[in-house]
Amino acid sequence: MINETYILECDFNNPDHLKALGMLVNEYILDDMGGGKPLNPLQQLRLVDGLNNHPTAIVLLAITNDAPSGIIVAFKNFSTFTVKPMINVHDIFVSTEYRQSGVGKKLMDALVAEAEMIGCSRITLEVREDNIQAQYLYRRFGFDDTIPPMLFWRKDL
């Protein structure tokens, strides 16, 4: 039973936060929606160091009943079209056992509050076409296809 979920900024000096960060990212990678190989201990150290030293990183942790239950990794950016700051969500993940319990909503609420506090014009994200649960959450927050529709492309190096 879920009693309480709270959202906090990742404290990169707190070993419990760093452990939660590594655990949640690896759980996400191993999830059907992640589809990758888990990070080894060295990669986890580099992840922590990279996020801690990235000047625009936003890392929010969801804690439910004193256990890590979700994460958002996002980056502040600047929109040339609106001439205001913006935020791009890179990752949002809720642990399997906490899905459908409001954890994702609480993470998104916290990110929207952060964006409003710093005067952002928008929040952007990408979502897999087959990730219907995530799409439902994002639509509840007013996210939708762009007009005209855009494609998200990449070149792996």
Side-chain angles (χ1 to χ4, degrees), residues 1-137:
M1 176 177 196
I2 294 175
N3 295 328
E4 179 184 4
T5 297
Y6 59 94
I7 308 301
L8 46 83
E9 282 190 50
C10 182
D11 177 354
F12 289 93
N13 294 309
N14 182 325
D16 291 334
H17 289 202
L18 303 183
K19 182 178 176 185
L21 173 62
M23 181 201 81
L24 289 163
V25 168
N26 270 342
E27 188 180 345
Y28 183 24
I29 290 170
L30 291 169
D31 188 83
D32 289 342
M33 294 299 151
K37 276 180 45 178
L39 302 178
N40 64 44
L42 180 58
Q43 290 171 315
Q44 287 186 39
L45 288 172
R46 288 184 176 149
L47 171 69
V48 166
D49 188 54
L51 289 172
N52 184 36
N53 290 305
H54 196 289
T56 69
I58 300 168
V59 181
L60 303 177
L61 298 171
I63 307 296
T64 304
N65 299 336
D66 297 321
S69 56
I71 187 169
I72 282 185
V73 177
F75 297 92
K76 298 174 204 165
N77 210 326
F78 187 80
S79 170
T80 55
F81 282 35
T82 64
V83 193
K84 289 184 176 183
M86 61 177 281
I87 291 176
N88 179 260
V89 177
H90 191 272
D91 299 302
I92 179 170
F93 175 74
V94 175
S95 289
T96 305
E97 67 184 281
Y98 298 102
R99 292 181 184 163
Q100 303 297 313
S101 68
V103 171
K105 181 183 180 315
K106 287 186 180 198
L107 283 164
M108 290 297 293
D109 282 335
L111 187 68
V112 169
E114 170 80 12
E116 290 172 342
M117 185 179 72
I118 62 175
C120 288
S121 62
R122 62 178 64 149
I123 299 172
T124 61
L125 54 79
E126 300 90 38
V127 62
R128 283 176 48 151
E129 190 174 32
D130 61 342
N131 194 344
I132 303 305
Q133 283 189 340
Q135 290 175 32
Y136 176 74
L137 172 67

